[in-house]
Every structure is written in structure tokens, then in C-alpha cells.
Amino acid sequence: MAVIKPFKAVRPTKDKVAHVTSRSYQEYSEEELEATLRFNPFSFLHIINPGYKFSKEVSGEERFKLVHNRYLEFLEDNIFLKDSKDSFYIYQIEKNNFKTCGFFCATSVQDYRDDIIKKHEDTLSQREQLFAKYLNTVGFNAEPVLITYSDNDSIQVLIDLEKQKKPEYFFTTPDKIKHSLWVVSNTDSIQKLICEFKKIDSLYIADGHHRSASSNVLARMSKDRNPNHTGKEPYNYFMSYLIPESEIRIYEFNRMVRDLNGLTKEEFLIRLDAFFRMENKGSVLYKPSKKHHFSMYLDGDFYSLFLRKKVYGFTDTLSQLDTQILYKTILEPILGIKDLRNDERIHYGCGKHNVIQMKDDIDNGKFQVGFGLVPLKINELKAIADAGLVMPPKSTYIEPKLRSGMAIYEF
């Protein structure tokens, strides 16, 4: 039984929402970030990059406190307003031929602990603690956890009925993406959505494992220092964006490695032959076409690699993942990369045009070899989560990517 809860969001005013909301901080180049901070005083980037006001790089507790101060200024200047009613917030994104729609809500930390909200990635304790400290200091969360659920006709009917109304926001950003948001504050509509989710056994984190884990840490910290803890406090929940699984898109991360671990090209190819049937495809861009099929770019040529299934044994759902197969047959035993998260010899690239970037980087000597994979399917992600297993890092690049500052959850 999944628990969802409406909340009073802090949101930009209608006239400023297109200026306030921002892409993920990591997506901006240095030049674009500088231009946005200089010419757009309403950008949410001013809150998460508070040192700009003082022409100073800030970090740690100093940055956390300044983030809190900039947030208060946005409230004081009425750039942000807090809703008077608990609500759900339906948010639709249209990008080229891709339209996706879900809704912001508060999800339960207890559901996270009870594995009703299921995970498929490991988290680092140090990052959990750091982000929990950040949340505790700033007092709000502006980046929801992306959570998916099995397509449900009853839920979809309720959402579609709300979307027949005039949206609270409708705007287009410079990247030509259309954004629409509907506020669901009607008590009857809220209760119907809550009841439908009570019938759902499992939710799946698609993106945001560290954010959800940090919220769990924050909840424990807050409970320990609150002698009047009831379990209903805002810190017992975290903001999520719930979306049916048919409306997410999963892309692959390519792998690029700086060297061949002391092997010559010929020695490397011979080692690969133990696990793969190989074919040289020449210099024309080449991508794999199906599961257990990989591409490789090495010394100016693309290769197709077909797994020899009689040699590689499948033992569980994890062993069947292409990212795990690549790790167990090439990256670890041949190239000597044991720590996929921290080894500086490996780099990850994502996006539809990344095969071109991968080729350019290898041709320019930045890396020596690169591997392409097909995207994982949602049923593979769910199977890993259901089995309580963990995918290798950078197994999935998932869309939609949500704008920061659209809806803010206060603790």
C-alpha cells in the first residue's frame, strides 16, 4: 500500500515562473551559468549558487546557510509564494515528440524503509549525510525524487480529468520545451488519488536514490531531536514526482576507458575473443541493436561484440544486465577497473549523440577504447529492484529531467 500526501508547495508567481525555474545545475556550461546569474535576477540558480552575490566561491555549511538566506529573500520579494491549501501538482513536459506527465506529491519515508518504494542503486553514506545536513540547514527541497509506477487506468482517468481545466502555468523555455502545471486542491480529487495509490503494492525510484536516502537520514535526525514526534511532521515525507512507467524514457551510458591496462591492441582483442564473437565494422558510426550486443570503438574502427552465452553463465537478474556483463567480462578482468564509481580511468557519456562524442574523444587521444550498449528496459530495472539487487553505476539515463524551483517542499 503506497502512501502519497498532498502538501502546500512554495511556487513561483505566474508572471515569473519561466524566469525562476532552472535546469539541473550540472547541465549548465560555465558561460551559460555566468550569463544566467548576471542577467536573470529571478533564476533559481541564485539560490543554489549563493556565493555569486559576493563574487565568492562558498562550500559546506557556509554555502548551506547562504542558500537558506537567498531562499528567504525570494519569499520576501514575493518571487515565491506558499499555497494556502494542501495540493497535488500535475506537471506535463512536451519535448519534440515526447510528452510526459506526472504529479508532485509527498511520499513516505516509512514506505522507503519498508521497501514499498524500491531501489536499484547503491548510495554513498558520505553523500547521504552531507545532503541530509544540507536539507536540515536550508529547510526545503526543490528537487523531487523521480518515482515510477505501473500504468493504471483509474489513476490516469483522474489525472486526465484535472488536465481538462486551465493550467496554472503554461510556458516554453529556450530549449523549446513546453511546461504545464495544474494545481489539484479539490478535496474529493485528492482523496480519490490517495485511495488509488493505496491499492498499489510497489513504487520504483527511477532517479534520485541519494535524495531519497538523505531524506531518510534527515527524518531519523529530526525524530531524535523532537520529543513530541508524532510521525505526521513534514520531515517524515519527501517530495517526489510520480509518473507511469510508460511515460519515462531510459537511455544508455557509454563507457570510455583511458588505456588498455598495459595490453597491446592485438592482445586486447585476443582476450575479448574468449567472451565475444567480434566483427570489425570499419570507421562508420555503429551502435548495438539488441540485448547482450555491444559496440566498441578502438584505433579508428568500430566493432560489434556478440556475447558468447555458452561461455558466460547467467545466475540471476543482475548477471543478465548488459552493464554487468560488460563489467564482468571486460572492464574488471581485462582492463582492471574494479571500482566503477571512483576509478578515474573510466568515463561515462549519455545522450543520443554520445557515440559521436565518444569517437571524437578517442580519436583525439583522451581515451583509448569505448563501448556502446543498448538502453535497459523498465522491466529490467524493476526486476533488479524486486530482487533487492543493485545495478552497476551509470546503468541508466532517465528522462524526464525536471526543472528546479517549480514546486518546493518545506520541512
Side-chain angles (χ1 to χ4, degrees):
M1 183 179 77
V3 174
I4 62 169
K5 187 174 181 290
F7 66 101
K8 297 179 179 70
V10 174
R11 299 185 289 112
T13 56
K14 282 186 184 182
D15 62 317
K16 297 183 180 67
V17 61
H19 302 294
V20 172
T21 60
S22 68
R23 306 195 311 274
S24 172
Y25 183 79
Q26 290 78 15
E27 292 185 23
Y28 289 85
S29 66
E30 289 186 14
E31 295 78 11
E32 189 180 10
L33 179 61
E34 170 64 28
T36 303
L37 291 170
R38 178 178 295 183
F39 298 113
N40 181 5
F42 303 117
S43 174
F44 188 75
L45 293 172
H46 282 284
I47 294 178
I48 57 178
N49 190 34
Y52 181 81
K53 181 176 182 178
F54 306 101
S55 301
K56 177 186 176 184
E57 291 287 336
V58 292
S59 60
E61 188 65 28
E62 181 183 29
R63 175 178 173 267
F64 300 167
K65 290 178 180 177
L66 288 176
V67 167
H68 177 69
N69 293 346
R70 294 292 81 73
Y71 175 66
L72 292 180
E73 288 174 4
F74 269 52
L75 286 169
E76 291 160 0
D77 293 341
N78 293 321
I79 299 170
F80 281 143
L81 296 175
K82 186 168 184 175
D83 285 338
S84 59
K85 294 182 179 180
D86 286 332
S87 304
F88 293 130
Y89 302 88
I90 298 171
Y91 176 34
Q92 178 175 283
I93 302 169
E94 296 179 70
K95 176 183 178 183
N96 299 325
N97 296 322
F98 177 37
K99 180 189 289 188
T100 184
C101 186
F103 68 98
F104 296 107
C105 67
T107 45
S108 168
V109 168
Q110 192 60 51
D111 280 359
Y112 176 87
R113 294 169 183 165
D114 293 341
D115 207 34
I116 293 171
I117 297 176
K118 294 181 177 290
K119 311 89 178 166
H120 66 265
E121 287 184 7
D122 258 343
T123 54
L124 300 175
S125 177
Q126 186 176 4
R127 284 187 63 188
E128 291 178 25
Q129 297 293 331
L130 181 65
F131 193 57
K133 188 175 182 180
Y134 168 83
L135 294 175
N136 183 59
T137 302
V138 303
F140 68 87
N141 191 351
E143 295 189 4
V145 177
L146 183 65
I147 291 180
T148 189
Y149 58 91
S150 298
D151 287 43
N152 183 295
D153 290 341
S154 298
I155 293 172
Q156 195 59 49
V157 167
L158 292 171
I159 290 175
D160 288 342
L161 282 173
E162 294 297 327
K163 286 171 60 180
Q164 292 177 12
K165 302 172 185 177
K166 183 180 178 180
E168 176 77 4
Y169 299 148
F170 176 74
F171 62 97
T172 303
T173 43
D175 50 8
K176 299 182 180 180
I177 299 177
K178 297 177 182 178
H179 306 265
S180 305
L181 184 135
W182 292 262
V183 179
V184 183
S185 56
N186 177 274
T187 302
D188 184 56
S189 299
I190 288 173
Q191 288 304 314
K192 286 179 179 178
L193 271 172
I194 290 173
C195 288
E196 288 301 327
F197 272 89
K198 285 182 178 179
K199 303 173 187 176
I200 293 179
D201 294 329
S202 299
L203 302 175
Y204 295 85
I205 298 176
D207 191 20
H209 284 79
H210 277 96
R211 294 194 293 276
S212 50
S214 299
S215 296
N216 180 40
V217 173
L218 175 68
R220 294 191 188 280
M221 290 168 46
S222 301
K223 177 183 177 181
D224 289 344
R225 62 172 176 255
N226 181 5
N228 299 314
H229 173 84
T230 65
K232 297 181 180 180
E233 296 83 359
Y235 59 71
N236 294 290
Y237 300 85
F238 56 93
M239 184 170 66
S240 295
Y241 178 75
L242 268 58
I243 184 171
E245 62 185 47
S246 63
E247 296 198 23
I248 68 169
R249 295 292 182 270
I250 303 178
Y251 301 94
E252 74 280 9
F253 275 95
N254 293 336
R255 273 86 165 119
M256 290 150 281
V257 182
R258 297 193 186 280
D259 57 67
L260 297 182
N261 197 28
L263 300 172
T264 66
K265 173 184 172 181
E266 291 72 22
E267 290 170 336
F268 178 62
L269 292 175
I270 290 172
R271 294 283 298 273
L272 290 185
D273 191 68
F275 279 104
F276 297 95
R277 181 165 55 89
M278 291 182 293
E279 182 179 347
N280 189 316
K281 294 292 186 178
S283 60
V284 179
L285 293 177
Y286 178 77
K287 295 185 70 174
S289 58
K290 58 185 178 181
K291 190 173 171 63
H292 307 333
H293 176 208
F294 306 85
S295 67
M296 180 177 70
Y297 186 65
L298 172 68
D299 194 24
D301 288 325
F302 282 94
Y303 294 78
S304 69
L305 306 180
F306 285 92
L307 180 68
R308 299 184 191 276
K309 297 179 182 178
K310 291 185 178 180
V311 177
Y312 179 88
F314 298 129
T315 56
D316 56 18
T317 52
L318 178 61
S319 69
Q320 298 177 49
L321 288 185
D322 285 347
T323 50
Q324 181 73 359
I325 291 169
L326 191 68
Y327 174 59
K328 285 298 185 182
T329 58
I330 301 177
L331 297 179
E332 182 184 37
I334 300 177
L335 294 178
I337 296 174
K338 300 183 184 301
D339 187 346
L340 293 172
R341 195 183 298 274
N342 298 307
D343 195 316
E344 295 183 355
R345 294 171 56 227
I346 189 168
H347 180 77
Y348 303 91
C350 60
K352 65 176 71 174
H353 303 302
N354 184 253
V355 64
I356 300 174
Q357 185 65 53
M358 180 178 76
K359 179 181 184 301
D360 289 344
D361 285 344
I362 292 172
D363 288 343
N364 293 330
K366 189 175 180 181
F367 302 98
Q368 194 163 354
V369 64
F371 302 94
L373 303 86
V374 296
L376 269 61
K377 302 294 186 183
I378 185 64
N379 63 330
E380 294 180 277
L381 183 153
K382 292 171 65 176
I384 291 293
D386 287 339
L389 299 172
V390 175
M391 291 183 182
K394 302 295 184 183
S395 287
T396 57
Y397 179 87
I398 294 180
E399 289 187 343
K401 297 298 183 186
L402 308 178
R403 290 183 75 82
S404 298
M406 182 76 74
I408 295 173
Y409 181 77
E410 291 188 327
F411 303 112

